[in-house]
Amino acid sequence: MNNIDIIRDLPKLDLHCHLSGSIRPETILEIARLEGIPHHTDDLEEFKGYVQAPSECKSLKEYLQRFELTLSVMQKKEYLQRIAYELIEDVSKQNIYYLEIRFAPFFHLDGGLTFDGAVEAVLAGMEEGRRDFGVISNLILILMRHHSPQKSLEAVKQGKKFLNKGVVAIDLAGNEHDFPPQLHREAFELAREYGFHRTVHAGETGIPENIITAVKELHAERIGHGVHAYRNQEVYDFVKEKGIPLELCLTSNIQTKAIESYSAHPIKRYLEDGIVVTANTDNMTVSNTDLIQEYEKLVTEIGFSLEDLRRVILNGLEASFASEEDKDHLRRLFNEKFEIHFSK
């Protein structure tokens, strides 16, 4: 068995996967037709160009434009449930055994859904997917930087009823330059009091200092991306010494211009220096990728060994927000499968 076959066979997990960026293009097109949503073309291959970002985006803005149509088809309960279910089915084919899905409930209320209805729909699709495909999944509720601090508090309060019933954490995402993390400190303090896990998008678009702020003031346990930690020695040392896991997303980091090329990506340097790195997809549809492709790029473009991949996978398992019961199950499962390829 060659390395590519081994990569496909390895047990995997994904801690940073946006629901709105990981919808099957054919599903987007079908719902757009049903709902009379303008969708440019009925030809699927041509349509993909409107929901998948090019490998060479001109800017982050161009990348984010791909979400406009996807969000428009995620405004009904049956569609959210279907999309979540299909995502679980898709990742099961990549040997992903654990998935953390994140979505912002307030983005899905334009069609009359309530906050509770949107969350319930996604959880129903996830539970159906676990039953049919055996993939364990948990949901992370995203708070948006450009929303008011009061709206973030509202999301935490409304989300409490779903805590440990499929919802495990909150996240902060959005415009990092104009809305610093501390604006939403109160919501994260309340979430911590309730028992939510916390992750924060930080250090993705060139402000590495946001990583320290996210950890110290928002009590972040993990950092979404954090790719720019190396640009500030104090931040780099902080991440390393505190053992803060980074949710790195190779392809999207290139597309959004966070990093100029695969060869320039710091993930291998981080791993070799003892920083807790994980490898994730971010947006499978928008980035036109999956976790198998991400692992293959780690090997072919960045020089990862199979042992490096194993370390990254185990980092992800220990950094996950899975229950201890699920972690124990996954440890046994992963170790059994690793023995096949790492027995020597």
Side-chain angles (χ1 to χ4, degrees):
M1 186 178 289
N2 61 37
N3 281 354
I4 299 302
D5 289 334
I6 292 173
I7 288 170
R8 294 176 183 277
D9 196 51
L10 285 176
K12 305 173 184 68
L13 47 77
D14 192 337
L15 304 183
H16 194 119
C17 179
H18 290 266
L19 185 64
S20 59
S22 303
I23 315 172
R24 295 174 183 173
E26 52 267 39
T27 297
I28 303 172
L29 183 56
E30 179 185 335
I31 296 173
R33 287 169 174 162
L34 287 171
E35 295 295 321
I37 297 169
H39 51 275
H40 307 287
T41 178
D42 285 318
D43 179 82
L44 179 59
E45 291 307 310
E46 184 180 350
F47 177 75
K48 288 178 181 178
Y50 293 98
V51 296
Q52 295 175 341
S55 57
E56 293 293 332
C57 284
K58 296 183 179 67
S59 64
L60 175 60
K61 181 179 179 181
E62 182 182 4
Y63 184 85
L64 294 176
Q65 284 174 344
R66 268 50 186 185
F67 287 91
E68 294 175 5
L69 184 55
T70 63
L71 286 171
S72 72
V73 303
M74 301 175 72
Q75 302 301 325
K76 289 187 176 180
K77 194 165 188 174
E78 60 266 33
Y79 298 149
L80 283 172
Q81 182 170 342
R82 170 185 172 179
I83 288 163
Y85 176 82
E86 289 180 349
L87 176 56
I88 300 297
E89 181 179 16
D90 291 343
V91 303
S92 72
K93 297 173 183 176
Q94 303 166 45
N95 280 336
I96 292 176
Y97 290 90
Y98 178 75
L99 177 68
E100 289 182 0
I101 301 170
R102 56 189 73 193
F103 93 127
F106 286 126
F107 281 171
H108 305 280
L109 311 185
D110 294 343
L113 266 180
T114 63
F115 182 101
D116 287 3
V119 175
E120 288 166 354
V122 176
L123 290 176
M126 292 164 57
E127 179 58 32
E128 189 180 1
R130 179 169 183 167
R131 185 182 66 244
D132 289 353
F133 306 110
V135 177
I136 301 170
S137 62
N138 281 311
L139 189 61
I140 298 174
L141 306 180
I142 300 176
L143 315 182
M144 298 304 301
R145 279 185 162 88
H146 68 279
H147 287 169
S148 69
Q150 291 72 29
K151 197 161 191 175
S152 292
L153 272 170
E154 181 185 346
V156 171
K157 291 175 181 177
Q158 292 195 63
K160 182 184 179 184
K161 66 176 69 68
F162 300 104
L163 187 58
N164 300 319
K165 298 177 181 177
V167 171
V168 293
I170 61 166
D171 178 24
L172 184 66
N175 183 341
E176 192 176 356
H177 280 275
D178 297 325
F179 300 93
Q182 56 267 35
L183 291 174
H184 301 271
R185 181 192 299 113
E186 190 176 356
F188 274 79
E189 288 177 344
L190 182 62
R192 185 190 191 193
E193 179 183 324
Y194 285 166
F196 284 92
H197 287 291
R198 288 89 50 202
T199 182
V200 173
H201 282 66
E204 178 185 7
T205 57
I207 310 177
E209 295 80 8
N210 280 345
I211 295 172
I212 293 180
T213 303
V215 174
K216 287 188 173 181
E217 299 194 33
L218 273 62
H219 315 291
E221 300 164 79
R222 299 191 324 230
I223 293 295
H225 299 287
V227 67
H228 283 294
Y230 72 92
R231 295 180 59 190
N232 181 305
Q233 191 62 46
E234 180 186 2
V235 173
Y236 187 89
D237 293 342
F238 178 85
V239 168
K240 181 179 177 180
E241 291 167 8
K242 298 293 184 182
I244 306 298
L246 302 182
E247 306 159 359
L248 295 171
C249 306
L250 203 65
T251 297
S252 80
N253 289 161
I254 307 302
Q255 288 177 305
T256 62
K257 302 302 183 185
I259 296 294
E260 63 183 26
S261 67
Y262 290 108
S263 61
H265 201 286
I267 186 170
K268 187 168 176 62
R269 168 188 169 185
Y270 287 174
L271 181 69
E272 291 175 344
D273 202 23
I275 289 177
V276 182
V277 297
T278 67
N280 312 278
T281 55
D282 204 7
N283 301 287
M284 283 193 275
T285 297
V286 175
S287 287
N288 192 22
T289 192
D290 60 30
L291 204 54
I292 291 173
Q293 292 179 60
E294 295 300 290
Y295 283 14
E296 288 176 351
K297 286 169 182 168
L298 286 172
V299 171
T300 61
E301 300 284 347
I302 298 184
F304 267 47
S305 66
L306 293 178
E307 179 58 35
D308 290 335
L309 286 181
R310 178 163 72 163
R311 287 175 61 193
V312 166
I313 293 167
L314 292 177
N315 282 347
L317 176 54
E318 297 307 321
S320 75
F321 297 145
S323 67
E324 283 306 313
E325 180 182 359
D326 283 339
K327 278 189 178 181
D328 285 341
H329 165 72
L330 290 165
R331 287 186 190 106
R332 290 192 296 270
L333 177 64
F334 280 32
N335 285 330
E336 288 172 5
K337 293 185 176 294
F338 284 147
E339 284 181 5
I340 298 171
H341 302 297
F342 297 93
S343 56
K344 295 181 181 181

